[in-house]
Amino acid sequence: EDNYAYYQGTSMATPHVAGVAALIAKMNSTLSVAQVKAIILDNVDQSSKWTGKVLSGGRLNAFKAANAVGTASNNVQPSVSITGPHEGASFKAPVSLTVDAVAVDPDGTVQQVAFFANGASIGTDTTSPFSVVWNPVPGNYTLTAVAMDDHYGSGTSAPVHVVIVSNVPPAVSITSPAAGTVFPAQSQITIAASATDSDGSIQQVAFEVDGVSIGTDGAAPYSAIWNGSIGTHAFRAIAT
C-alpha cells in the first residue's frame, strides 16, 4: 500500500538541493561550484514567508534552474528559422502541412526543435532536417520554432504567419435530361451536368443512377452515358 507523509527541515531540503546541483552539473560540466550555486539561488520561487528565513528568500525550483543553465554559462545560444511555409502563405482546409526549420549551434549541437502554432505545441523533431506535420483547422496562425542545444540553451525563430481558409463546396446540377422525362426501354441516355467552384476548380463530376455509379467526367461539359432500364430512376451528380 502506498503511503504519503509531510516532512520539513534541512534534512529534507539538502537532498533536493543536492540533486538539482547534480542535474545542473550534468547539463553543463564546465560550470564552477559558484556558478551552480548562483543558478539555484537566482531561480527560486520567491515568497514573502521565506524572507529573512532563508538566504534566497524563496523555494527551490528545479525546472527554472535547469532552464537557466544555457544562459548562465558561456554557452552560445542556438539559432533557428522556419523555412516553410513562407510568411503570409494561405492554404485551403482540409490540409496537411509540413512545417520545416533550419537550426544551428555555433558551439555545440542542436538537440531538438519544438514547433508551435499560436503558442501551442504542434510537435518536436530531434533529427535534422527538422520538421513536423501539422493538420490545422481554418484560422489565422503564428508559427514559431524553438531550438535547444546540448547545454540546454534555447533560441526562438522569427514568427511566420499563415492563414487556413475554409473550403467552399462546389455547386452542381443536372442539366439533362429534365426531371420526369420518359424514355423507351433500353435507351442510351446521356446525363449532363453543370458544376462550378467559387474558390477553386472542379476536379471531376461523378454520376449515379439509383445510388450506383455509372461513371465520372474530369472535363467540362460533364456527362455520362447510361443504358436505361424499365422503371423509375433517380439521377445524381457529385462534384469534387
Side-chain angles (χ1 to χ4, degrees):
E1 183 178 346
D2 294 330
N3 293 297
Y4 297 88
Y6 176 80
Y7 296 97
Q8 63 180 348
T10 55
S11 295
M12 291 305 299
T14 299
H16 287 84
V17 175
V20 175
L23 172 65
I24 292 171
K26 176 65 175 178
M27 292 169 63
N28 187 347
S29 60
T30 66
L31 292 174
S32 67
V33 173
Q35 287 176 309
V36 171
K37 178 181 177 181
I39 290 173
I40 294 174
L41 294 179
D42 291 344
N43 291 281
V44 298
D45 292 327
Q46 294 291 334
S47 174
S48 58
K49 67 181 179 180
W50 298 117
T51 303
K53 296 181 179 180
V54 295
L55 177 64
S56 66
R59 178 180 58 192
L60 176 69
N61 188 319
F63 181 75
K64 287 173 63 177
N67 276 344
V69 172
T71 57
S73 68
N74 293 323
N75 180 43
V76 179
Q77 307 305 300
S79 62
V80 59
S81 60
I82 293 176
T83 56
H86 62 79
E87 171 66 24
S90 179
F91 303 91
K92 186 185 298 184
V95 63
S96 181
L97 295 177
T98 298
V99 185
D100 300 297
V102 173
V104 294
D105 184 32
D107 62 346
T109 58
V110 175
Q111 299 298 294
Q112 70 172 37
V113 173
F115 296 84
F116 299 87
N118 290 348
S121 174
I122 58 173
T124 301
D125 195 358
T126 58
T127 306
S128 179
F130 303 100
S131 66
V132 293
V133 176
W134 177 44
N135 298 293
V137 298
N140 297 313
Y141 294 93
T142 299
L143 302 178
T144 54
V146 179
M148 184 177 70
D149 67 16
D150 51 342
H151 287 306
Y152 296 86
S154 63
T156 303
S157 72
V160 170
H161 302 91
V162 298
V163 178
I164 310 299
V165 297
S166 299
N167 183 24
V168 179
V172 59
S173 61
I174 293 177
T175 57
S176 177
T181 301
V182 177
F183 295 92
Q186 305 303 316
S187 295
Q188 194 173 68
I189 302 169
T190 298
I191 305 172
S194 172
T196 58
D197 185 26
S198 63
D199 63 346
S201 59
I202 301 296
Q203 299 301 300
Q204 69 173 30
V205 173
F207 294 87
E208 294 180 355
V209 175
D210 300 331
V212 177
S213 174
I214 61 167
T216 61
D217 195 348
Y222 306 102
S223 65
I225 296 175
W226 175 60
N227 293 317
S229 59
I230 296 174
T232 300
H233 303 280
F235 298 162
R236 184 167 74 156
I238 304 169
T240 303

